[in-house]
Amino acid sequence: MTSGDIWQQFGVATWRVQHARSLLSVVVSSCLSLVVIAAFLWWSGAITPHIRWEVDDFLSRTEVDENGVLSASLHIELENEGLAPFVLTGISAEIPGLLLLPADGAKKEHSLVTVESGDMKTLETRIVITDCAAVPHEPQPVGFTYRTWMGPGSAEVTWDSWWLEGAEGRLPVAWQRGLAGKICNYAVSPDWP
């Protein structure tokens, strides 16, 4: 082997190393770019929605039907803080003393609610109080299912405590306990505020 052959092999080896480094650089920068794009899409709400859920207790209407069933309409405000629209497909809760009823088309309740980006909608559902005393004092979650362009998903929300005015000042109470107290008190005394 001559010195020219050695230099030629050295040149080929050097080119391969440089080519491998260039290829590695392209792969690493591509992966970093994908991570940045995915993080932006996630953060913006384009992959999973950014939903603000809140109970509007001022609109609750309480009624006792002819069978003595105590129920109220529950208004839930949904605000889409993300870029992609979503369709709310279901709501559920397993809370002792409470029962969420499915949407009733005869009462113009909607089982599907579409919320566009930056928009706010109100979902109205019926809630039955099966046992006023059984409703727990600790905040309980409510489950939601939804659909986006990425497919179906689910979320669980535990709403903030409500505040009751008392002789000792403002006292926090779990949202479902406050709602049940309001509904049960109204059933006993319709003049109750």
Side-chain angles (χ1 to χ4, degrees):
M1 185 186 274
T2 67
S3 66
D5 291 337
I6 294 173
W7 281 110
Q8 184 179 9
Q9 287 179 355
F10 180 73
V12 169
T14 303
W15 177 83
R16 285 184 181 158
V17 169
Q18 290 173 345
H19 179 70
R21 284 183 181 162
S22 297
L23 186 59
L24 180 61
S25 170
V26 168
V27 169
V28 168
S29 63
S30 296
C31 288
L32 286 175
S33 297
L34 287 174
V35 167
V36 168
I37 290 169
F40 171 75
L41 290 173
W42 187 274
W43 173 80
S44 70
I47 294 177
T48 58
H50 292 239
I51 306 169
R52 185 184 62 79
W53 326 77
E54 190 172 309
V55 174
D56 189 349
D57 64 319
F58 295 110
L59 296 176
S60 297
R61 292 185 318 273
T62 303
E63 60 185 54
V64 179
D65 69 9
E66 63 277 354
N67 298 320
V69 174
L70 176 60
S71 67
S73 59
L74 182 64
H75 294 261
I76 302 169
E77 293 179 353
L78 307 166
E79 184 176 3
N80 186 350
E81 297 176 335
L83 295 178
F86 69 89
V87 178
L88 183 73
T89 57
I91 179 173
S92 63
E94 299 206 13
I95 302 173
L98 299 180
L99 177 64
L100 287 175
L101 299 180
D104 184 354
K107 293 183 180 179
K108 297 183 180 178
E109 297 172 353
H110 303 286
S111 59
L112 300 177
V113 177
T114 301
V115 186
E116 299 294 328
S117 174
D119 200 8
M120 182 186 290
K121 295 281 178 97
T122 300
L123 168 69
E124 182 177 353
T125 189
R126 303 286 305 159
I127 188 167
V128 173
I129 306 295
T130 57
D131 184 351
C132 291
V135 178
H137 292 271
E138 302 81 27
Q140 300 292 308
V142 175
F144 293 92
T145 56
Y146 60 84
R147 187 175 60 240
T148 68
W149 66 277
M150 291 286 292
S154 63
E156 193 172 86
V157 177
T158 302
W159 288 305
D160 292 336
S161 294
W162 290 9
W163 293 91
L164 296 180
E165 298 294 332
E168 299 173 11
R170 293 182 62 180
L171 303 171
V173 63
W175 73 270
Q176 77 280 347
R177 188 74 208 155
L179 181 65
K182 180 178 180 179
I183 294 168
C184 295
N185 287 339
Y186 180 83
V188 174
S189 175
D191 296 330
W192 188 77

